[in-house]
Amino acid sequence: MTEQPGRSAPVYPTALGVSSVEAITLLGRDLSGELIGKVGFAELAFELIQLRQPTAEEARVFEAVLVSLADHGFTPTAISARLTYLSAPDSIQGALASGLLGGGSRFLGVSEDTAAFLSDTLAGLGSAPADDAGWDDVAATAVRERRATGMAVPGLGHHLHKQGDPRTPVLIQVARDAGCYGDHLRLFEAVGRAAPTVLGRDLPLNGAGACGAILADLGFPVGIIRGVVLLARCAGLLGQLAEEMRRPIAREIFEDVERHAVYRPLDD
Amino acid sequence: MTEQPGRSAPVYPTALGVSSVEAITLLGRDLSGELIGKVGFAELAFELIQLRQPTAEEARVFEAVLVSLADHGFTPTAISARLTYLSAPDSIQGALASGLLGGGSRFLGVSEDTAAFLSDTLAGLGSAPADDAGWDDVAATAVRERRATGMAVPGLGHHLHKQGDPRTPVLIQVARDAGCYGDHLRLFEAVGRAAPTVLGRDLPLNGAGACGAILADLGFPVGIIRGVVLLARCAGLLGQLAEEMRRPIAREIFEDVERHAVYRPLDD
Amino acid sequence: MTEQPGRSAPVYPTALGVSSVEAITLLGRDLSGELIGKVGFAELAFELIQLRQPTAEEARVFEAVLVSLADHGFTPTAISARLTYLSAPDSIQGALASGLLGGGSRFLGVSEDTAAFLSDTLAGLGSAPADDAGWDDVAATAVRERRATGMAVPGLGHHLHKQGDPRTPVLIQVARDAGCYGDHLRLFEAVGRAAPTVLGRDLPLNGAGACGAILADLGFPVGIIRGVVLLARCAGLLGQLAEEMRRPIAREIFEDVERHAVYRPLDD
Amino acid sequence: MTEQPGRSAPVYPTALGVSSVEAITLLGRDLSGELIGKVGFAELAFELIQLRQPTAEEARVFEAVLVSLADHGFTPTAISARLTYLSAPDSIQGALASGLLGGGSRFLGVSEDTAAFLSDTLAGLGSAPADDAGWDDVAATAVRERRATGMAVPGLGHHLHKQGDPRTPVLIQVARDAGCYGDHLRLFEAVGRAAPTVLGRDLPLNGAGACGAILADLGFPVGIIRGVVLLARCAGLLGQLAEEMRRPIAREIFEDVERHAVYRPLDD
């Protein structure tokens, strides 16, 4: 526990923010002179994560993804954030964190899971298929293998929008129009075409899955994609908290639950 | 605990997201048809919080504020997020939440505190001063009163940038150019001019304070401003976590602390 | 940013846990030889916070306080933990943290607020009153002053147990029996006697307030008391999460809220 | 979204806390009359999770486990909690939550992983082995299979205590003395004997693994065991935070990291 004489001081390298007395640099650029007022927030978030500037087209697609994930109404995460605000109104960071902590495997993990599934499938390909029929074969095989392990195919199906998730075609069109239609999204669409035959029933491609495919095409590593979803959701949770300040409902939710509590031992 | 026969079912009103089988609406508009690919993410965040669309100029100023707050390098929050990721790499939401929880009174609260100070001062004014000299008087009085209570003037001073925070003039210029220069920012500048005389020493207007003034001018309620800072910081923390995945340093930070631990009882 | 040649290595002193290759010490004692199997968990928690071993009587009182605070059924924090578990079942730490984040000013802060109120009042006393009548005077003055600032008297009143919180007399008796009845609790009881006259209405001393008074008498610093409440609540939240695993209700809570959502713009 | 006429009101069953105007019951017992001052905190935590009262012996073993897991000095979680407190001292719940969020797969998950490994192995047994040699065979097979999948054997090895974790024999003895030595712990010891031969090197049974085995023997479901570890750690984190209030080090940790930051782009 004593300092080794020859131990060199630690060095903590970073490509992000570094400050000196005179300057603040971010991503190797001068924050005040080169970034503030010159780049958009989503554009900066893209670069903070990927360490490369998006093209204008990529930035537009990224904004579309963030917009589509920002808020889905009274989700468990939104309710949790509101209840935490009710309980601890002095700490908005706690309410926000409480909501984001719901970003796990079940509700906000679909985009990441879809990206991982597509990415693993693409990694296993020798060369890209020549045409749609080729992609459909790849997709059918991947869906079949996934099904054989007893796991659901991520990005497929929606508990509410059973006839089709209205976000999906719009997101795909945005990616196409921007020239950002890549292999992940191509494979995702093929999964949508192949799945009914393999699975024997219609399941729509959901919007969260489309977001995962597009984020992977934009170059986001699979392991950070859930984080991108949380960035989007952060805006939605702020909206929920601002609304809770204006027109609170958390106390009524709480009291409604409390009122319907009944004692029931385990063996009942 | 039994349902009252006449109890009406609860109703939870919201102006944000509502879904039906066919449609997802957000802010009363169709998410797929009217928002995805048509509004920017920061623009949407603005509206989710304020329930009104920003003008193009307001959106530009808001983006500038978010950009200037996104990342400040190895802050306590960034280190905390990285350490939590080291410890629980399976839960990126936990690492992000851990970082955001540092958004309290000391490090990320300056914008909110400044907005509250300016806003309270403005609320106490009968009518707006006629000229800069009038604003300087208002500011001098406010600083003097604040000082009399033994409290620091929020938005004034920076532990590193003692000769001036490089972000401040740029942010002010962005607000001016966009025609979003309002009374909060006007008063904030007056505080900067009046403070040296009242306090007897030079303290620069810091960037976080300027952000608070500008956000208040943009119409954000004081109580949500810390949340806006956290939205910006969310992007920075994702950058920190993506970097931790690529080029980890958290283990070295932890081991460096552990190596320098020494047992020392209380009365030493 | 380069290491100063003469900079001494940092030293991080601690009176808590320190490990070497052969031994783990905690509080300066050998964890394996002197603590495991020899001290109770609550006893250890007491010492980790206060750096002194409680007497057997103090430990008994501390256990009673923790037991009385452990679980209060479907509170906002319990619901929030369950919803987060529903959303992210892979991360029990997130669900637990989500619940604890509700430990703020409104629901779990009463013990700390009461301790602070009592402690401030005691600090302002020249010498301790000679008898109950003297304590009643002190209490009446303190309640009157508090009321003059427009603030509620912490520890007084309960939204449900309007005729008296059943925990309060039991907690006071436990403290008395253990010889741990100190000035904070004495003043707290005096507040209970004096308040009806000063305030013009009956308000019972609540159990959370009694816990705050007792914890202060046991020597816990005011600033850590909310943390002690959270330790107690941690056990309750684990109970809630174990129950959620066994007999889930979070999905029904969520769906009930979602089902009753209605779009309503701001100006409705 | 309108209430269905025939929809029955929701009912939320619980075996934990339920309050009425006159009484607070917990686990079906009167909190004030039957629990406060009569059961210990750890004992109550056991029952809140398992819905059965531990015997006096089980309670003693459970306390020993909690004591052994409470604090391990400057772990990533302890540092994270301190940094969050530095940054947001007004919100102790946030600092505590920030620390607990590190309770993931890498640092605090060993007990759960060990319990799962032992439990799965036991579930696969037709009948219990007749003697130690039989248990060694079972253990050797399980270790071999685990190794074949490329995964580490949980509970085996320690980064610091390479010659043996001092907690392990003490914990085993406590369980033996209390008559709580069950099949999980028996198998865990067999793993310790069999592993050197199978793996070709000595790896000590670590204390966290022993805790997992013992908790499983005490009847805790595998899925809640990480939560039990977090309850123990909650006490340690409160100790860390109380120490941070008394003798702060977080600022120095932060400044030491910041001082050693160097800008280095990705391709360096």
Side-chain angles (χ1 to χ4, degrees), chain A residues 1 3 7 14-15 17 20-21 32 41 49 51 63 71 73 93 103 161 166 226-227 238 243 246 256 260-261, chain B residues 1 3 7 14-15 17 20-21 32 41 49 51 63 71 73 93 103 161 166 226-227 238 243 246 256 259-261:
Chain A
M1 248 161 298
E3 181 79 348
R7 192 179 76 86
T14 183
S20 67
V21 176
S32 308
F41 175 58
I49 297 169
L51 296 192
E63 303 253 9
D71 183 73
Q93 73 271 25
H161 309 297
R226 201 192 301 180
L238 284 181
E243 184 165 272
R246 245 183 342 248
D256 197 69
H260 294 91
Chain B
M1 248 161 299
E3 182 78 347
R7 191 180 76 87
T14 183
S20 67
V21 176
S32 309
F41 175 59
I49 297 170
L51 296 192
E63 303 253 9
D71 183 72
Q93 73 271 25
H161 310 297
R226 200 191 300 180
L238 283 181
E243 185 166 271
R246 248 185 336 251
D256 197 68
R259 188 167 37 233
H260 294 92

Side-chain angles (χ1 to χ4, degrees), chain C residues 22-34:
Chain C
E22 309 82 26
I24 306 173
T25 65
L26 193 56
L27 297 156
R29 302 213 289 288
D30 183 62
L31 174 61
S32 308
E34 299 175 68

Side-chain angles (χ1 to χ4, degrees), chain C residues 162-203:
Chain C
K162 294 187 197 302
Q163 305 306 315
D165 186 325
R167 292 165 300 180
T168 308
V170 175
L171 283 162
I172 293 172
Q173 196 58 46
V174 168
R176 272 190 195 283
D177 291 350
C180 294
Y181 187 91
D183 280 354
H184 294 87
L185 192 49
R186 184 167 286 118
L187 176 57
F188 186 61
E189 288 209 274
V191 166
R193 290 189 302 267
T197 313
V198 179
L199 303 176
R201 62 188 178 123
D202 271 9
L203 284 174

Side-chain angles (χ1 to χ4, degrees), chain B residues 9-102:
Chain B
V11 170
Y12 301 120
T14 183
L16 308 176
V18 180
S19 294
S20 67
V21 176
E22 309 82 27
I24 305 173
T25 64
L26 192 56
L27 297 156
R29 302 213 289 288
D30 183 61
L31 174 61
S32 309
E34 299 175 70
L35 295 172
I36 297 176
K38 291 182 179 146
V39 304
F41 175 59
E43 206 181 331
L44 179 71
F46 186 114
E47 188 173 355
L48 284 168
I49 297 170
Q50 292 209 36
L51 296 192
R52 69 171 184 89
Q53 286 181 264
T55 64
E57 289 71 27
E58 287 174 322
R60 200 160 61 235
V61 175
F62 186 49
E63 303 253 9
V65 167
L66 292 174
V67 164
S68 76
L69 293 167
D71 183 72
H72 291 174
F74 292 144
T75 55
T77 57
I79 304 171
S80 176
R82 285 179 180 249
L83 287 166
T84 302
Y85 180 77
L86 166 68
S87 202
D90 43 311
S91 166
I92 197 175
Q93 73 271 25
L96 188 62
S98 169
L100 293 176
L101 287 170

Side-chain angles (χ1 to χ4, degrees), chain C residues 1 3 7 14-15 17 20-21 32 41 49 63 71 73 93 103 161 166 226-227 238 243 246 256 259-261, chain D residues 1 3 7 14-15 17 20-21 32 41 49 51 63 71 73 93 103 161 166 226-227 238 243 246 256 259-261:
Chain C
M1 248 161 297
E3 182 79 348
R7 193 180 77 85
T14 183
S20 67
V21 175
S32 308
F41 176 58
I49 297 169
E63 303 252 12
D71 184 72
Q93 72 270 25
H161 310 298
R226 201 192 299 180
L238 284 181
E243 185 165 274
R246 248 185 337 252
D256 196 70
R259 187 167 37 233
H260 293 91
Chain D
M1 251 161 295
E3 182 79 347
R7 192 181 75 88
T14 183
S20 68
V21 176
S32 308
F41 175 59
I49 298 169
L51 294 193
E63 303 253 10
D71 183 72
Q93 72 271 23
H161 310 298
R226 202 193 298 181
L238 284 181
E243 184 166 273
R246 249 187 334 254
D256 197 69
R259 187 166 38 232
H260 294 91

Side-chain angles (χ1 to χ4, degrees), chain C residues 4-189:
Chain C
Q4 298 307 316
R7 193 180 77 85
S8 56
V11 170
Y12 300 121
T14 183
L16 307 176
V18 180
S19 295
S20 67
V21 175
E22 309 82 26
I24 306 173
T25 65
L26 193 56
L27 297 156
R29 302 213 289 288
D30 183 62
L31 174 61
S32 308
E34 299 175 68
L35 296 173
I36 297 174
K38 291 181 178 145
V39 303
F41 176 58
E43 207 181 332
L44 180 71
F46 186 114
E47 188 173 354
L48 284 168
I49 297 169
Q50 292 210 36
L51 296 192
R52 71 172 182 89
Q53 286 180 264
T55 64
E57 289 72 28
E58 288 174 322
R60 201 159 60 235
V61 176
F62 186 49
E63 303 252 12
V65 168
L66 292 174
V67 164
S68 75
L69 294 166
D71 184 72
H72 292 175
F74 293 144
T75 55
T77 58
I79 304 170
S80 175
R82 285 179 181 250
L83 287 167
T84 304
Y85 180 76
L86 166 68
S87 202
D90 44 312
S91 168
I92 195 176
Q93 72 270 25
L96 187 62
S98 169
L100 293 176
L101 287 170
S105 55
R106 212 175 279 165
F107 269 75
L108 289 172
V110 176
S111 301
E112 177 176 316
D113 292 347
T114 306
F117 169 64
L118 299 172
S119 179
D120 289 350
T121 304
L122 292 175
L125 286 184
S127 58
D131 54 18
D132 273 8
W135 282 102
D136 286 12
D137 286 349
V138 171
T141 305
V143 170
R144 209 171 287 120
E145 285 175 358
R146 181 91 180 184
R147 201 196 189 182
T149 66
M151 293 165 77
V153 180
L156 217 51
H158 193 283
H159 77 286
L160 191 60
H161 310 298
K162 294 187 197 302
Q163 305 306 315
D165 186 325
R167 292 165 300 180
T168 308
V170 175
L171 283 162
I172 293 172
Q173 196 58 46
V174 168
R176 272 190 195 283
D177 291 350
C180 294
Y181 187 91
D183 280 354
H184 294 87
L185 192 49
R186 184 167 286 118
L187 176 57
F188 186 61
E189 288 209 274

Side-chain angles (χ1 to χ4, degrees), chain D residues 115-128 135 138 142 183-184 187 222:
Chain D
F117 169 64
L118 299 171
S119 180
D120 290 349
T121 305
L122 292 174
L125 286 183
S127 59
W135 281 102
V138 171
D183 279 354
H184 293 87
L187 176 57
V222 168

